[in-house]
Amino acid sequence: MSLITVTNLSVRLGAVPVLSGVDFTIERGEIVTIVGPNGSGKSTFLRCLIGALAPSTGQISRAPGLRIGYVPQKLAIDPTLPLTVGRFLSLPRRRQPADVAAALDQAGVPHLEARQMADLSGGQFQRVLLARALLENPDILILDEATQGLDQAGSAAFYHQIEMVRRRFGCAVLMVSHELHVVMAASDRVVCLNGHVCCQGTPELVASAPEYRALFGTGTKGALALYRHEHNHSHEAEGCTDPSHAHTHAHTHAPAHSHRQDEGQNV
Amino acid sequence: MFDDFLLRALLAGFGVALAAAPIGCFVVWRRMAYFGDATAHAAILGVALALAFGLPVFTGAVAVALLMALTVSSLSGRGYSMDTLLGVLAHSSLAFGLVAVSFLQDVRIDLMAYLFGDILAVTTGDLGVIWGGALGVVVLLAWRWQALLTTTLNPDLACASGLDPKREQLVLTLALALVVAVAIKVVGVLLIAALLLVPAAAARPFAATPERMALLAALVAMAAVAAGLGVSFYHDTPAGPSIVCAAAVLFAFSSLWRSIQNAA
């Protein structure tokens, strides 16, 4: 069965409807990226999935015993709270030092146990958050704009790490991001959210969907550039909401070929 | 040399120090200083009500402190600025408490004793209440420690791990109300917040982990109790304020040490 199934989810924060009629599923081992403009309800959606927010209507069903590894958008640790990396990784469940060391290693930041969280660089901090999520031995990793504050190279490296983790653990990955190009290239499926699901499908499909274009305009040339090697124009076949639209985007890219297996090396 | 009343005072102070230190750390980490103040000030209203209805002072103080803490928790995030809300509640509950006390004509109350504490008048019975409450707080916090820390870091992180941040908040609130109630006799409602904050703040530069900070804060608080009582005994100063003064001096040394470390 699916790890998480969302049916007709609607959320109001105060009087403001943030999400309406969202249907969503994620399968074991799948990498799904949620994109959408600011205020489109991406974080709200994730918070519903982890149980931090109760939906106004609709249902969220998780596979029994589902283990979630959550990497929050930001984690502001009050400077008055002393916290070593090792101690942080032992929250809320106590972990063996060997497990902590292994998780740090898998997240690409070995031997940081004794460092204070406050002394970490942005990239290290995000990887420590990832290590903590891995310690849950998750069925699904949920990342909320996990690369905020990292530069392009840093976030590319971070997502590469996620790819490796996914291969190693076989966990599903659900992430939210603004950095469309890096994220989308590594995704099996992209969901474009703006209060509701505008469109979804393979990255190349969503990138050329008019709903996506309407939201992100043509200012995402950088994003599209990274798809060019896999842009095979097969989107009519799959489920974008409006398959009959005219493809007006500029075809400046190289001839299409489509081996998605190579992705990992590109990011 | 050690009179009985002084020994009882010392034991009472140590009990409060032990409970106030860990909860004080959470108050500092979660930036709840004003919240602690409001809860403590509300306790004077509880004292007045308890005296009026012939209930134990401890019960009244816990009940009203808890009520205040719950009110603040539920009102927060409803469009009020927390800062303003707490300012209003902290001072108005103190004012209402003082007015309520003035209605109690039958009972001769030494108001100062509740405002600034009366640690030298601690009875054996008081000691039982103080240590009972203090141990209750310590056990409660030790039991929920991991969950409380996770919630303090980030409520969403706690949710994702299957914890309920609201329940943990409630645990903290309850612990805070208990500490306030047991601390009234020692430092009085006006200075309880100091006993929560100052030792925790003084411990911060020397701690690498939350546990170490809580432990150090307890030691600082105990040292302050001992020093404060000593000064009070030999120089006839008011005991509660003397304890807070001693804690403040320790904090000053700690800050000094930190700036020297940073400069080096």
Side-chain angles (χ1 to χ4, degrees):
Chain A
M1 73 178 284
S2 303
L3 291 177
I4 301 179
T5 306
V6 174
T7 327
N8 196 27
L9 173 79
S10 296
V11 178
R12 290 175 162 275
L13 295 180
V16 186
V18 180
L19 291 171
S20 57
V22 175
D23 293 317
F24 175 83
T25 57
I26 184 162
E27 308 296 331
R28 207 163 280 277
E30 205 180 9
I31 296 192
V32 176
T33 300
I34 298 176
V35 298
N38 287 331
S40 60
K42 303 186 298 286
S43 291
T44 302
F45 182 63
L46 289 197
R47 295 189 70 219
C48 285
L49 294 189
I50 62 168
L53 208 60
S56 311
T57 57
Q59 272 199 323
I60 299 170
S61 54
R62 302 180 186 85
L66 181 75
R67 289 185 305 272
I68 297 175
Y70 177 61
V71 179
Q73 188 174 65
K74 56 177 184 285
L75 188 64
I77 298 180
D78 197 277
T80 59
L81 176 57
L83 198 63
T84 60
V85 170
R87 186 67 189 89
F88 172 70
L89 293 183
S90 256
L91 286 173
R93 275 171 271 285
R94 299 267 178 194
R95 309 288 185 189
Q96 297 302 315
D99 295 340
V100 167
L104 284 173
D105 201 33
Q106 279 147 8
V109 277
H111 314 308
L112 282 187
E113 288 94 331
R115 290 272 288 277
Q116 284 287 311
M117 292 293 285
D119 296 338
L120 299 179
S121 73
Q124 286 172 330
F125 195 95
Q126 288 311 118
R127 280 158 196 267
V128 167
L129 287 180
L130 176 62
R132 186 188 163 280
L134 293 179
L135 277 167
E136 301 270 345
N137 192 17
D139 301 306
I140 178 169
L141 264 182
I142 297 184
L143 303 101
D144 190 357
E145 306 223 16
T147 58
Q148 236 181 17
L150 300 188
D151 60 18
Q152 192 152 333
S155 45
F158 184 78
Y159 285 121
H160 185 48
Q161 193 84 41
I162 302 275
E163 268 282 326
M164 287 175 28
V165 161
R166 199 271 297 247
R167 256 183 247 142
R168 182 156 185 167
F169 285 73
C171 55
V173 177
L174 175 62
M175 51 193 173
V176 151
S177 188
H178 274 120
E179 290 147 305
L180 307 175
H181 54 295
V182 189
V183 171
M184 288 173 81
S187 303
D188 297 321
R189 185 155 56 94
V190 172
V191 177
C192 179
L193 196 69
N194 189 25
H196 60 283
V197 176
C198 296
C199 57
Q200 61 173 312
T202 56
E204 54 270 34
L205 203 132
V206 168
S208 57
E211 296 84 0
Y212 175 86
R213 297 259 164 145
L215 282 175
F216 291 100
T218 49
T220 53
K221 287 197 183 78
L224 296 180
L226 281 177
Y227 298 123
R228 63 175 69 154
H229 60 279
E230 57 171 353
H231 201 303
N232 57 13
H233 292 217
S234 65
H235 27 319
E236 280 87 352
E238 299 177 58
C240 247
T241 46
D242 182 10
S244 64
H245 68 85
H247 302 294
T248 53
H249 52 287
H251 292 263
T252 55
H253 40 57
H257 54 100
S258 58
H259 25 266
R260 294 204 22 83
Q261 286 75 15
D262 296 348
E263 290 312 304
Q265 282 76 31
N266 293 328
V267 290
Chain B
M1 184 73 249
F2 247 54
D3 294 276
D4 264 0
F5 78 94
L6 207 54
L7 186 63
R8 281 199 301 273
L10 203 60
L11 284 176
F14 281 179
V16 169
L18 207 63
I23 194 81
C25 287
F26 278 107
V27 167
V28 168
W29 297 332
R30 296 170 72 106
R31 308 197 169 195
M32 294 162 57
Y34 228 161
F35 186 84
D37 233 9
T39 308
H41 287 183
I44 194 74
L45 185 60
V47 169
L49 291 175
L51 291 172
F53 292 103
L55 294 167
V57 167
F58 178 80
T59 314
V62 168
V64 177
L66 194 59
L67 206 65
M68 169 59 93
L70 290 176
T71 306
V72 172
S73 300
S74 66
L75 281 180
S76 69
R78 286 204 196 164
Y80 295 97
S81 140
M82 201 59 181
D83 194 46
T84 306
L85 183 70
L86 285 173
V88 169
L89 288 176
H91 298 108
S92 51
S93 62
L94 182 62
F96 274 109
L98 294 176
V99 169
V101 167
S102 76
F103 279 113
L104 300 172
Q105 284 151 352
D106 307 341
V107 195
R108 236 189 84 248
I109 304 174
D110 184 3
L111 194 57
M112 291 293 276
Y114 292 108
L115 290 180
F116 296 106
D118 197 6
I119 191 173
L120 297 177
V122 163
T123 65
T124 315
D126 291 336
L127 264 186
V129 170
I130 287 172
W131 273 90
L135 288 179
V137 167
V138 169
V139 167
L140 185 66
L141 290 183
W143 173 48
R144 302 307 305 166
W145 188 258
Q146 289 280 93
L148 285 170
L149 269 181
T150 310
T151 306
T152 297
L153 273 179
N154 183 306
D156 286 356
L157 219 53
C159 276
S161 297
L163 299 169
D164 180 358
K166 285 205 186 74
R167 193 185 57 189
E168 306 310 329
Q169 169 83 40
L170 209 61
V171 168
L172 269 189
T173 304
L174 180 65
L176 187 60
L178 278 171
V179 166
V180 163
V182 299
I184 288 181
K185 193 80 184 176
V186 174
V187 286
V189 295
L190 290 183
L191 290 175
I192 288 170
L195 209 57
L196 290 171
L197 298 176
V198 180
R204 173 63 185 96
F206 302 94
T209 61
E211 293 75 22
R212 179 89 47 102
M213 180 160 155
L215 202 69
L216 282 174
L219 291 178
V220 168
M222 285 185 192
V225 165
L229 278 176
V231 169
S232 172
F233 185 74
Y234 288 111
H235 300 283
D236 200 22
T237 54
S242 301
I243 291 172
V244 174
C245 287
V249 169
L250 289 173
F251 170 76
F253 279 127
S254 150
S255 303
L256 200 63
W257 189 85
R258 197 220 284 257
S259 14
I260 291 170
Q261 285 295 107
N262 286 350

